[in-house]
Amino acid sequence: MRQVYINGEFKKEDEAKVSIFDRGLLFSDSVYEVTSVINSKLIDFKYHVERLDRSMNELKFKTLIDHDEILAFHRKLIELNNLKEGMIYTQVTRGVVDRSFDMPKQAIKPTVLAFTQEKKILESDTAKNGIKVMTLEDMRWKRNDIKTTQLLYASMAKSEATAKGFDDAWMLRQGYVTEGSSNNVWIIRSKNIMTRQSDNLILSGITRAVVLECAKKLDYEVITKNFTKVDAESADEAFMTSATGLITPVVKINSSQIGDGKPGNFTKSLRAEYIKRALEIAI
Ligand code: PMP
């Protein structure tokens, strides 16, 4: 049984409890981060906690959580659960207060929880074989730049895709691809690497930012601009980025095979570069 973290304490997973009045539960008034763990070490931890601060500031949470404290419970969770490869999920809710649409004016104690989950990251089947995605309408709100736990539409989109035999959904607004259900999207066409500009309609991924750096290192120029469903379907290569998927090749979009239906060469070189860097900077 896992040991999880809740409000300063480590508990068995079935003993950790949250109040029924928690605003995270009642209003999805909460933010989260997922940090990947490789060889029992944290990848890009600093960027994740910085984004957590940003999300909390955007929602006007009155207090932030100390970064050293976050690092300490991440490390302890890795140790307690003997986690070699996987992720740590951390969630911070505004806290517990009588139910009201009006957010509390006074500072209340946030609820902080975290747990580990094992996952194959380096040698995953999806990295080896690539994934198939379908497109569907993006029906989410317009503040997807904040990493909130208001994830119902993303979960519906992913489920619709898997029910139809795909691995994930790429969402569209006015014909342009925004992002995947839990990842950023990229295509390569005639040697142009493209990923959507980071605006309020997507989460600005940590992996996306690092991959932009990796591409530069490999002397590739990336155009950060939105692209259409038609651009995607006729791409030479496609991939998605996220903390636990790293760089995952996409080999089919709707009924269109991408390239020769196998992970593309550029995608593979970028993934290798990303992993090299991740292992160097892991803490
Ligand atoms: N977009 C969405 C909607 C996501 O949920 C995620 C993953 N949390 C990402 C993009 C990728 O972000 P990151 O690279 O920081 O994991």
Side-chain angles (χ1 to χ4, degrees):
M1 189 181 290
R2 268 177 298 191
Q3 296 279 329
V4 303
Y5 174 85
I6 179 137
N7 296 330
E9 293 182 279
F10 296 92
K11 297 203 167 168
K12 285 192 194 143
E13 64 179 52
D14 59 353
E15 286 171 6
K17 301 275 190 289
V18 179
S19 163
I20 62 163
F21 297 111
D22 195 290
R23 283 188 58 95
L25 176 66
L26 298 182
F27 290 99
S28 295
D29 190 357
S30 63
V31 298
Y32 76 110
E33 279 299 325
V34 174
T35 305
S36 61
V37 173
I38 300 176
N39 299 334
S40 301
K41 287 188 172 171
L42 297 157
I43 310 299
D44 293 328
F45 175 79
K46 179 173 170 284
Y47 298 132
H48 286 285
V49 286
E50 283 171 2
R51 187 172 61 187
L52 187 69
D53 285 351
R54 179 187 182 276
S55 297
M56 292 171 75
N57 281 326
E58 289 299 313
L59 294 184
K60 300 190 169 53
F61 277 32
K62 299 221 163 48
T63 44
L64 299 178
I65 315 295
D66 181 69
H67 291 186
D68 289 340
E69 187 185 324
I70 302 177
L71 181 59
F73 70 68
H74 274 60
R75 289 214 161 119
K76 189 75 185 167
L77 282 176
I78 292 173
E79 184 196 317
L80 287 173
N81 296 290
N82 193 20
L83 181 67
K84 300 272 185 290
E85 198 165 300
M87 66 176 93
I88 298 191
Y89 173 94
T90 302
Q91 181 173 340
V92 183
T93 86
R94 192 179 304 270
V96 178
V97 65
D98 264 356
R99 184 178 183 276
S100 165
F101 277 79
D102 196 11
M103 290 173 174
K105 302 284 184 283
Q106 76 282 18
I108 55 171
K109 200 164 102 17
T111 300
V112 186
L113 59 92
F115 56 82
T116 56
Q117 202 158 297
E118 290 187 9
K119 185 181 177 192
K120 260 193 181 179
I121 294 184
L122 292 181
E123 305 291 334
S124 64
D125 291 344
T126 51
K128 200 164 99 201
N129 305 319
I131 61 164
K132 303 190 284 274
V133 303
M134 64 172 272
T135 54
L136 49 69
E137 200 53 32
D138 190 340
M139 312 256 268
R140 300 173 302 165
W141 72 333
K142 292 187 181 162
R143 287 306 308 271
N144 303 302
D145 57 306
I146 315 174
K147 198 165 169 61
T148 75
T149 58
Q150 192 190 264
L151 295 169
L152 191 53
Y153 186 72
S155 182
M156 287 167 73
K158 170 94 177 180
S159 305
E160 184 173 337
T162 57
K164 292 191 168 137
F166 293 90
D167 301 292
D168 198 10
W170 279 17
M171 296 180 280
L172 304 170
R173 275 195 206 253
Q174 294 168 332
Y176 288 95
V177 184
T178 51
E179 57 187 339
S181 65
S182 59
N183 46 74
N184 293 116
V185 297
W186 303 64
I187 58 170
I188 306 173
R189 281 168 60 89
S190 332
K191 303 216 173 359
N192 286 325
I193 308 160
M194 298 172 74
T195 191
R196 188 193 167 88
Q197 70 277 8
S198 73
D199 53 19
N200 60 308
L201 297 181
I202 68 166
L203 182 76
S204 188
I206 303 299
T207 321
R208 175 183 176 280
V210 172
V211 169
L212 285 169
E213 290 303 311
C214 292
K216 232 185 251 167
K217 210 161 161 214
L218 294 171
D219 275 334
Y220 291 107
E221 202 191 319
V222 180
I223 305 167
T224 50
K225 188 175 169 306
N226 53 4
F227 52 83
T228 65
K229 169 177 128 120
V230 176
D231 292 334
E233 286 171 340
S234 56
D236 304 319
E237 292 188 31
F239 58 96
M240 56 144 215
T241 53
S242 71
T244 60
L246 311 183
I247 290 119
T248 303
V250 171
V251 294
K252 195 175 176 199
I253 301 176
N254 297 323
S255 57
S256 305
Q257 175 178 293
I258 304 302
D260 61 2
K262 297 204 183 80
N265 286 333
F266 174 76
T267 306
K268 284 196 275 191
S269 63
L270 205 46
R271 184 176 165 91
E273 180 66 29
Y274 181 91
I275 290 173
K276 187 171 135 241
R277 176 198 161 279
L279 297 177
E280 279 166 14
I281 55 93
I283 59 165

